Amino acid sequence: MRASDMNTWLLKRCLTLPAAVLRFLAGGGVVYRQGRTLDAQIQFLWRGLFTNPAGRTRLSLTGKSLESVRAEWQETIDLFGLPDDIRVRYETVEGEVSGLLIRPAHISEDAPLLVFFHQGGGVIGGPNLSRAFAALLAHEAHCPVFLPEYRLAPLNRFPAALEDARAAYNWAVANAVRLGAASGLVALGGALIGASLAARISLDLRLEASPQPVGQLLVTPLVDLADPAIKADAALGLWPISADDLDIMIGHYAGAGTNLTDPRLSPALENLPDGLPKTLIVSAGLDPLTRQGEVFAIRLTAAGTPVTYRRYDTLPLGFDLLAGVVDEARSAVRNIAENWVDLLRNIVADRARDSV
């Protein structure tokens, strides 16, 4: 067994300790915010393992160079590893569009390809950041998932990421069957800024009167970069992504002097048309973006979009990064997969009926 695999195995074994023991090792007590209690395994990872005696926390962007943060995120993601007992195959895609394709052992005949824009706030890392989440989702929902590369800020600020994301979506639509979707259908999704990219592309397609994706999966979406509720709910921003981290990510992504209320940058501020794809919005309970997700769900519903909204109260913003090691995060992803399948059920039949 490689040293990295051994470290992952040891970490997972450690996390099987009783919740009371994990909380004791994390300094005792519980982390409680606005009626919600942080999961014990995450509390242990945060305060027991990834915060040093000087109070510096691993994965935090505060007071660190972006290069060192990117290295921390990659090392930590490698340590967390992948969910156990899932059967998927990974394929590196290179060429006109680059990324990571995940094919589960069984793909449903009517399953769309999910193009999912990865975690990291448009600033940190690549598809590997969302690999554990996407692998478990692909396994549970029996659908292929494609995680495209896109240019990162601050070297490439907005709209570079949106341009790359749109190009990746267009390419995936043209290559859906080759990428594993026998149905030829394509859905969109993403986490944090990745969710914003997905929402913006759906809006642009609708405004262009172009064919829509069959659905969109928005995980802890950051769809309003000017939202004052982020600071108002800063106490909910814990670990692995705090409200201060969000502020730094937004600064890097948008750049100084950018109008954050521009709907191109903040798609929630667009006048939402009808005809947008069925949408699953996922929030965490301990997340300064929770209200933003709820409000966006309400506005989409008012515009006639079928929406399913789910909130996981014991989990923080960035819980999708922990799908390989934290039981509650893994359970949440499984539930997300169930809701995703339910949301998109009978797509082929619906489209056939509409075409008659």
Side-chain angles (χ1 to χ4, degrees), residues 200-258:
R200 184 65 256 175
I201 291 170
S202 292
L203 280 164
D204 287 344
L205 290 168
R206 183 69 184 97
L207 295 173
E208 296 164 10
S210 298
Q212 285 281 296
V214 295
Q216 55 182 354
L217 169 58
L218 309 181
V219 179
T220 59
L222 176 54
V223 285
D224 180 0
L225 278 66
D227 184 6
I230 297 175
K231 291 184 178 179
D233 288 337
L236 288 174
L238 302 175
W239 180 87
I241 302 173
S242 70
D244 288 339
D245 294 332
L246 280 176
D247 192 50
I248 294 170
M249 287 175 174
I250 290 170
H252 283 313
Y253 184 71
T258 301

Coordinates of all heavy atoms in Angstrom, one line a residue, residues 200-258:
R200 N -25.8 30.6 -15.6 CA -25.6 31.7 -16.6 C -25.8 31.1 -18.0 O -26.4 31.7 -18.9 CB -24.3 32.4 -16.4 CG -24.0 33.5 -17.4 CD -24.9 34.7 -17.1 NE -25.9 34.8 -18.1 CZ -26.9 35.7 -18.0 NH1 -27.0 36.6 -17.0 NH2 -27.8 35.8 -18.9
I201 N -25.2 29.9 -18.2 CA -25.3 29.3 -19.5 C -26.7 29.0 -19.9 O -27.2 29.2 -21.0 CB -24.4 28.0 -19.6 CG1 -22.9 28.4 -19.6 CG2 -24.7 27.2 -20.9 CD1 -21.9 27.3 -19.4
S202 N -27.5 28.4 -18.9 CA -28.9 28.1 -19.1 C -29.6 29.4 -19.5 O -30.5 29.4 -20.4 CB -29.5 27.5 -17.9 OG -28.9 26.2 -17.7
L203 N -29.4 30.5 -18.8 CA -30.0 31.7 -19.1 C -29.7 32.2 -20.5 O -30.6 32.6 -21.3 CB -29.6 32.8 -18.1 CG -30.4 32.7 -16.7 CD1 -29.6 33.5 -15.7 CD2 -31.8 33.2 -16.9
D204 N -28.4 32.1 -20.8 CA -28.0 32.6 -22.2 C -28.6 31.8 -23.3 O -29.1 32.3 -24.3 CB -26.5 32.5 -22.3 CG -25.8 33.6 -21.5 OD1 -26.5 34.6 -21.1 OD2 -24.6 33.5 -21.2
L205 N -28.7 30.5 -23.1 CA -29.3 29.6 -24.1 C -30.8 30.0 -24.2 O -31.3 30.0 -25.4 CB -29.2 28.1 -23.6 CG -27.8 27.5 -23.7 CD1 -27.8 26.2 -23.0 CD2 -27.4 27.4 -25.2
R206 N -31.5 30.3 -23.1 CA -32.9 30.6 -23.2 C -33.1 32.0 -23.9 O -34.0 32.1 -24.7 CB -33.5 30.7 -21.8 CG -35.0 31.0 -21.7 CD -35.8 29.8 -22.3 NE -37.2 30.1 -22.3 CZ -37.8 30.5 -23.5 NH1 -37.2 30.7 -24.6 NH2 -39.1 30.7 -23.4
L207 N -32.2 32.9 -23.6 CA -32.4 34.2 -24.2 C -32.0 34.2 -25.7 O -32.5 35.0 -26.5 CB -31.4 35.2 -23.5 CG -31.8 35.5 -22.0 CD1 -30.8 36.4 -21.3 CD2 -33.2 36.2 -21.9
E208 N -31.2 33.2 -26.1 CA -30.9 33.0 -27.5 C -31.9 32.2 -28.2 O -31.8 31.9 -29.4 CB -29.5 32.3 -27.6 CG -28.3 33.1 -27.1 CD -27.1 32.3 -26.8 OE1 -27.1 31.1 -27.3 OE2 -26.1 32.7 -26.2
A209 N -32.9 31.6 -27.5 CA -33.8 30.7 -28.0 C -33.2 29.4 -28.5 O -33.6 28.8 -29.5 CB -34.7 31.4 -29.1
S210 N -32.1 29.0 -27.9 CA -31.4 27.8 -28.2 C -31.9 26.7 -27.3 O -32.5 26.9 -26.3 CB -29.9 28.0 -28.0 OG -29.3 29.0 -28.8
P211 N -31.7 25.4 -27.7 CA -32.1 24.3 -26.9 C -31.5 24.3 -25.5 O -30.3 24.6 -25.4 CB -31.6 23.1 -27.7 CG -31.5 23.5 -29.1 CD -31.1 25.0 -29.0
Q212 N -32.3 24.0 -24.5 CA -31.9 24.0 -23.1 C -31.3 22.7 -22.7 O -31.6 21.6 -23.3 CB -33.1 24.3 -22.2 CG -33.6 25.7 -22.2 CD -32.7 26.6 -21.4 OE1 -32.7 26.4 -20.2 NE2 -32.0 27.5 -22.0
P213 N -30.4 22.7 -21.7 CA -30.1 21.4 -21.1 C -31.3 20.8 -20.4 O -32.3 21.5 -20.2 CB -29.0 21.8 -20.0 CG -29.3 23.3 -19.8 CD -29.8 23.8 -21.1
V214 N -31.3 19.5 -20.2 CA -32.5 18.9 -19.7 C -32.7 19.1 -18.2 O -33.8 18.9 -17.7 CB -32.5 17.3 -19.9 CG1 -32.5 17.1 -21.4 CG2 -31.3 16.7 -19.3
G215 N -31.7 19.6 -17.5 CA -31.8 19.9 -16.1 C -30.5 20.6 -15.7 O -29.5 20.7 -16.4
Q216 N -30.6 21.3 -14.5 CA -29.4 21.9 -13.9 C -29.4 21.5 -12.4 O -30.4 21.6 -11.7 CB -29.3 23.3 -14.2 CG -30.5 24.2 -13.8 CD -30.3 25.7 -14.1 OE1 -29.3 26.1 -14.6 NE2 -31.3 26.5 -13.9
L217 N -28.1 21.2 -12.0 CA -27.9 20.8 -10.6 C -26.9 21.9 -10.0 O -25.8 22.0 -10.4 CB -27.2 19.5 -10.5 CG -26.6 19.0 -9.2 CD1 -27.7 19.0 -8.1 CD2 -26.0 17.6 -9.3
L218 N -27.5 22.7 -9.1 CA -26.7 23.8 -8.5 C -26.4 23.5 -7.1 O -27.3 23.5 -6.2 CB -27.5 25.1 -8.7 CG -28.1 25.4 -10.1 CD1 -28.8 26.7 -10.1 CD2 -27.0 25.4 -11.1
V219 N -25.1 23.3 -6.8 CA -24.7 22.9 -5.4 C -24.1 24.1 -4.7 O -23.1 24.7 -5.2 CB -23.7 21.7 -5.5 CG1 -23.2 21.4 -4.1 CG2 -24.3 20.5 -6.2
T220 N -24.7 24.5 -3.6 CA -24.3 25.7 -2.8 C -24.0 26.8 -3.8 O -22.9 27.4 -3.8 CB -23.1 25.4 -1.9 OG1 -22.0 24.9 -2.6 CG2 -23.5 24.4 -0.9
P221 N -24.9 27.3 -4.6 CA -24.6 28.2 -5.7 C -24.3 29.6 -5.2 O -24.9 30.2 -4.3 CB -25.9 28.2 -6.5 CG -27.0 27.8 -5.5 CD -26.4 26.8 -4.6
L222 N -23.2 30.2 -5.8 CA -22.9 31.6 -5.6 C -23.3 32.3 -6.9 O -22.6 32.5 -7.8 CB -21.4 31.7 -5.4 CG -20.8 33.2 -5.3 CD1 -21.6 33.9 -4.2 CD2 -19.4 33.1 -5.0
V223 N -24.6 32.7 -6.9 CA -25.2 33.2 -8.1 C -25.5 34.7 -8.0 O -26.0 35.4 -8.9 CB -26.5 32.5 -8.5 CG1 -26.2 31.1 -9.1 CG2 -27.4 32.3 -7.3
D224 N -25.1 35.3 -6.8 CA -25.2 36.7 -6.6 C -24.0 37.2 -5.8 O -23.9 37.1 -4.6 CB -26.5 37.1 -5.9 CG -26.7 38.6 -5.6 OD1 -25.7 39.4 -6.1 OD2 -27.7 39.0 -5.0
L225 N -23.0 37.7 -6.6 CA -21.7 38.0 -5.9 C -21.8 39.3 -5.1 O -20.9 39.6 -4.3 CB -20.6 38.1 -7.0 CG -20.0 36.8 -7.4 CD1 -20.9 36.0 -8.2 CD2 -18.7 37.1 -8.3
A226 N -22.9 40.0 -5.3 CA -23.1 41.3 -4.5 C -24.0 41.1 -3.3 O -24.3 42.1 -2.6 CB -23.7 42.4 -5.5
D227 N -24.4 39.9 -3.1 CA -25.4 39.6 -2.0 C -25.0 40.0 -0.6 O -24.0 39.5 -0.1 CB -25.7 38.1 -2.0 CG -26.8 37.7 -1.1 OD1 -27.5 38.6 -0.5 OD2 -27.0 36.5 -0.9
P228 N -25.7 41.0 0.0 CA -25.3 41.4 1.3 C -25.5 40.4 2.4 O -25.0 40.4 3.5 CB -26.2 42.7 1.6 CG -27.4 42.5 0.7 CD -26.8 41.8 -0.5
A229 N -26.4 39.4 2.1 CA -26.6 38.3 3.1 C -25.4 37.5 3.3 O -25.3 36.8 4.4 CB -27.8 37.4 2.6
I230 N -24.4 37.5 2.5 CA -23.2 36.7 2.7 C -22.5 37.2 3.9 O -22.1 36.5 4.8 CB -22.2 36.8 1.5 CG1 -22.9 36.2 0.2 CG2 -20.9 36.1 1.8 CD1 -22.1 36.3 -1.0
K231 N -22.4 38.5 4.1 CA -21.7 39.1 5.2 C -22.7 39.0 6.4 O -22.2 38.8 7.6 CB -21.3 40.5 5.0 CG -20.1 40.6 4.0 CD -19.7 42.1 3.8 CE -18.5 42.1 2.9 NZ -18.0 43.5 2.6
A232 N -24.0 39.2 6.2 CA -24.9 39.1 7.3 C -24.9 37.8 8.0 O -25.1 37.7 9.2 CB -26.3 39.5 6.8
D233 N -24.7 36.7 7.2 CA -24.7 35.4 7.7 C -23.2 34.8 7.8 O -23.0 33.6 7.8 CB -25.5 34.4 6.8 CG -27.0 34.7 6.9 OD1 -27.4 35.2 7.9 OD2 -27.7 34.4 5.9
A234 N -22.3 35.7 8.0 CA -20.9 35.3 8.1 C -20.6 34.3 9.2 O -19.7 33.4 9.0 CB -20.0 36.5 8.3
A235 N -21.4 34.3 10.2 CA -21.2 33.3 11.3 C -21.4 31.9 10.9 O -21.0 30.9 11.5 CB -22.1 33.7 12.5
L236 N -22.2 31.7 9.8 CA -22.5 30.4 9.3 C -21.3 29.8 8.5 O -21.3 28.7 8.1 CB -23.7 30.4 8.4 CG -25.1 30.5 9.2 CD1 -26.2 30.7 8.2 CD2 -25.3 29.4 10.1
G237 N -20.4 30.7 8.1 CA -19.3 30.3 7.3 C -18.2 29.7 8.1 O -17.4 30.4 8.8
L238 N -18.0 28.4 8.1 CA -17.1 27.7 9.1 C -15.9 27.2 8.3 O -15.0 27.9 8.0 CB -17.9 26.6 9.8 CG -19.1 27.1 10.6 CD1 -19.9 25.9 11.2 CD2 -18.7 28.1 11.7
W239 N -15.9 25.9 8.0 CA -14.8 25.2 7.3 C -15.4 24.1 6.5 O -16.4 23.5 7.0 CB -13.8 24.7 8.4 CG -12.7 23.9 7.8 CD1 -11.5 24.5 7.4 CD2 -12.6 22.6 7.5 NE1 -10.7 23.5 6.9 CE2 -11.3 22.3 6.9 CE3 -13.4 21.5 7.6 CZ2 -10.9 21.1 6.5 CZ3 -13.0 20.2 7.2 CH2 -11.7 20.0 6.6
P240 N -15.0 23.9 5.3 CA -13.7 24.3 4.7 C -13.7 25.7 4.0 O -12.7 26.1 3.6 CB -13.4 23.2 3.7 CG -14.8 22.6 3.3 CD -15.6 22.7 4.6
I241 N -14.9 26.3 3.8 CA -14.9 27.6 3.2 C -15.7 28.6 4.1 O -16.9 28.4 4.3 CB -15.6 27.5 1.8 CG1 -14.9 26.5 0.9 CG2 -15.7 28.9 1.1 CD1 -15.7 26.2 -0.4
S242 N -15.0 29.6 4.5 CA -15.6 30.6 5.4 C -16.1 31.8 4.6 O -15.9 31.9 3.4 CB -14.6 31.1 6.4 OG -13.6 31.9 5.7
A243 N -16.9 32.7 5.2 CA -17.3 33.9 4.6 C -16.2 34.8 4.1 O -16.2 35.4 3.1 CB -18.3 34.7 5.5
D244 N -15.1 34.8 4.9 CA -13.9 35.6 4.5 C -13.3 35.0 3.3 O -12.8 35.7 2.4 CB -12.9 35.6 5.6 CG -13.3 36.5 6.8 OD1 -14.1 37.4 6.6 OD2 -12.8 36.3 7.9
D245 N -13.3 33.6 3.2 CA -12.7 33.0 2.0 C -13.6 33.3 0.8 O -13.0 33.6 -0.3 CB -12.7 31.4 2.2 CG -11.8 31.0 3.3 OD1 -10.8 31.7 3.5 OD2 -12.0 29.9 3.9
L246 N -14.9 33.4 0.9 CA -15.8 33.8 -0.2 C -15.4 35.1 -0.7 O -15.4 35.4 -1.9 CB -17.2 33.7 0.3 CG -17.9 32.4 0.3 CD1 -19.3 32.6 0.9 CD2 -18.0 31.7 -1.1
D247 N -15.2 36.1 0.2 CA -14.8 37.4 -0.1 C -13.6 37.5 -0.9 O -13.5 38.2 -2.0 CB -14.7 38.3 1.1 CG -14.6 39.8 0.8 OD1 -15.5 40.3 0.1 OD2 -13.7 40.4 1.3
I248 N -12.6 36.7 -0.5 CA -11.3 36.6 -1.3 C -11.5 36.0 -2.6 O -11.0 36.5 -3.7 CB -10.3 35.8 -0.5 CG1 -9.9 36.6 0.8 CG2 -9.0 35.6 -1.3 CD1 -9.1 35.8 1.8
M249 N -12.3 34.9 -2.7 CA -12.6 34.3 -4.0 C -13.3 35.3 -5.0 O -12.9 35.4 -6.1 CB -13.4 33.1 -3.8 CG -12.7 31.9 -3.2 SD -13.9 30.5 -2.8 CE -12.8 29.2 -2.3
I250 N -14.3 36.0 -4.5 CA -15.0 36.9 -5.3 C -14.0 38.0 -5.8 O -14.1 38.4 -7.0 CB -16.2 37.5 -4.5 CG1 -17.3 36.5 -4.3 CG2 -16.8 38.7 -5.3 CD1 -18.4 36.9 -3.3
G251 N -13.2 38.5 -4.9 CA -12.2 39.5 -5.3 C -11.3 39.1 -6.5 O -11.0 39.8 -7.4
H252 N -10.8 37.8 -6.3 CA -9.9 37.3 -7.4 C -10.7 37.0 -8.7 O -10.2 37.3 -9.8 CB -9.3 35.9 -6.9 CG -8.2 36.1 -5.9 ND1 -7.1 36.9 -6.1 CD2 -7.9 35.4 -4.8 CE1 -6.3 36.8 -5.1 NE2 -6.7 35.9 -4.3
Y253 N -11.9 36.5 -8.5 CA -12.7 36.1 -9.7 C -13.2 37.3 -10.5 O -13.0 37.3 -11.8 CB -13.9 35.3 -9.2 CG -14.7 34.7 -10.3 CD1 -14.3 33.6 -11.1 CD2 -16.0 35.2 -10.6 CE1 -15.0 33.1 -12.1 CE2 -16.8 34.6 -11.6 CZ -16.3 33.6 -12.4 OH -17.1 33.0 -13.4
A254 N -13.7 38.3 -9.8 CA -14.3 39.4 -10.5 C -13.2 40.5 -10.8 O -13.3 41.2 -11.9 CB -15.4 40.0 -9.7
G255 N -12.3 40.7 -9.9 CA -11.3 41.8 -10.1 C -11.8 43.1 -9.5 O -13.0 43.4 -9.4
A256 N -10.9 44.0 -9.1 CA -11.2 45.2 -8.4 C -12.0 46.1 -9.4 O -11.7 46.2 -10.6 CB -9.9 45.9 -8.0
G257 N -13.0 46.8 -8.9 CA -13.7 47.8 -9.6 C -14.8 47.2 -10.5 O -15.6 47.9 -11.2
T258 N -15.0 45.9 -10.5 CA -16.0 45.2 -11.3 C -17.4 45.4 -10.6 O -17.5 45.3 -9.4 CB -15.7 43.7 -11.4 OG1 -14.4 43.5 -12.0 CG2 -16.8 43.0 -12.3

